[in-house]
Each structure stands twice: as C-alpha cells, then as structure tokens.
Amino acid sequence: MTGGTRSSTAAKRAESLLGWLRDSAEQDYIGEPVSQLQHALQCAAAATHARAPTAAVLAALFHDVGHLRAAGRPDMDGLGVVDHEVIGAHLLLETGCSAEVAHLVESHVAAKRYLCFRDAAYRSRLSAASERTLAFQGGPMSTAEARRFSTLPNLRWILALRSWDEQAKDPGANPPGLESYRASLEAHIEANRTRHGTC
C-alpha cells in the first residue's frame, strides 16, 4: 500500500470524526450554556494551552463524541447518553485513533467519580447538570475503586482532561475552530496505523 493511499485513508477517517463534531454546532450540551461543538473546542483549547501531548488534546476534543454517536440509546434523564465515554472510546478506536486517546476518553467519567471521592471541594464546584449525571455514573468511587484508579500510569492526563472538561462551559469563549485540529488528527491516525501495520 502506498504512502499516498495511507494518507488518503487517514484523511477520510479524520473527516468522519470531525463530522460528528461539526454536526453538533447547534446541539445543546446536556444542560450547559454551550453547544456540544463549543464544549469540545473549549476543552481542546484548554489542553492546547496546557501544552498537553497530542493524544491528550485529541482526547479533549472528542471526549464527549459518544453522546453524538449514540443518539436514541438510554440517557441520563435528558442529560446525555449512559456510558457515552465507552461508546466514544470504541468509536475512536474504530476510526484509527490510538489506545491512549481512547483510554483518556473512556476514563474521563471515572475521573469525576474519583475526584468526588477524594475532594469534597471539587464536588461542590460541579455544575447542576454534572451533579445530576453523577448518580447515573455510579456516584463517588469507593475507597477500593479510588485506590485502583490512582495507580493508572496516565493519571496526570486523565485528571487534566477532567479539569478541562469542567472549564469548557463558557458561553462567551471564542476558541480556535475545528479545522485547526485536522492536520494533527490526520497525522495521529496515520502514525497509529503505521505503528500497528493496519490498512
């Protein structure tokens, strides 16, 4: 398979993912004062500002894509899809993103549960919508769950993603647009495919 074909495939896969977010420009972000697209862009902008690695920036951009992919599935009392983090992680893997990106996305709900267990002040700062969804997501972790979670090797970026997620709800923000991530997304998908020798 030629490099040109591989690049074309990566471009198509990137466009597929970007399309999910592009189509959410007018879609309400589960009880918050921003759209799904604005939330994603603000979260990715926060990751970029923090000089996070590419995998973390892409995870920030796509962390809630499961809400968009799983329309019609069981929801959390009108506040998004149950297990959206798992659905989103599977979509990212299917579309060619790395296991690292998928794991960050899959872990962002568990990070909320972990922080609610560890830090009462964190929980007090949750938005009303985020507090309501916590019950559907299992509530604060138990001591045993938190102990296991704290040993994850990429805990730093999991918790950072959770922080960016909480920040990304400003109706007055003006983050960089979706196209600013296309090149890095294509390069990431291409590198992941090359690394694993997939077509």
Side-chain angles (χ1 to χ4, degrees):
M1 184 176 291
T2 67
T5 302
R6 287 196 298 269
S7 296
S8 175
T9 300
K12 289 177 181 177
R13 292 183 176 188
E15 172 55 28
S16 175
L17 283 173
L18 293 170
W20 285 103
L21 293 184
R22 189 183 305 111
D23 291 345
S24 72
E26 303 300 325
Q27 188 169 336
D28 175 64
Y29 175 57
I30 55 173
E32 306 290 358
V34 293
S35 70
Q36 290 277 2
L37 175 59
Q38 272 296 308
H39 176 65
L41 292 176
Q42 288 184 35
C43 196
T48 301
H49 182 74
R51 298 184 179 180
T54 298
V57 174
L58 294 177
L61 185 65
F62 292 109
H63 72 283
D64 276 341
V65 72
H67 284 307
L68 310 176
R69 172 70 179 269
R73 297 197 186 189
D75 69 16
M76 297 179 285
D77 195 21
L79 294 174
V81 176
V82 174
D83 293 332
H84 74 280
E85 71 280 14
V86 176
I87 295 165
H90 288 170
L91 172 62
L92 291 164
L93 288 174
E94 291 168 2
T95 316
C97 289
S98 68
E100 181 181 7
V101 172
H103 185 253
L104 288 169
V105 168
E106 187 168 0
S107 300
H108 81 276
V109 168
K112 179 169 80 169
R113 298 182 60 227
Y114 172 76
L115 289 169
C116 285
F117 163 84
R118 193 184 74 176
D119 185 357
Y122 167 84
R123 183 170 184 179
S124 73
R125 294 191 299 269
L126 290 179
S127 69
S130 193
E131 177 66 35
R132 286 175 61 194
T133 59
L134 179 63
F136 289 92
Q137 295 161 340
M141 284 185 173
S142 67
T143 300
E145 286 176 316
R147 186 179 298 117
R148 288 192 298 271
F149 189 81
S150 70
T151 65
L152 292 176
N154 56 351
L155 184 65
R156 172 189 177 186
W157 296 117
I158 293 171
L159 296 182
L161 173 55
R162 188 69 229 176
S163 175
W164 304 327
D165 187 4
E166 300 295 350
Q167 297 171 35
K169 302 170 183 179
D170 179 1
N174 186 29
L178 197 56
E179 284 301 310
S180 63
Y181 300 99
R182 182 182 295 275
S184 60
L185 177 59
E186 289 183 9
H188 173 81
I189 292 172
E190 178 64 15
N192 189 53
R193 293 176 64 245
T194 301
R195 188 181 309 121
H196 295 286
T198 56
C199 295

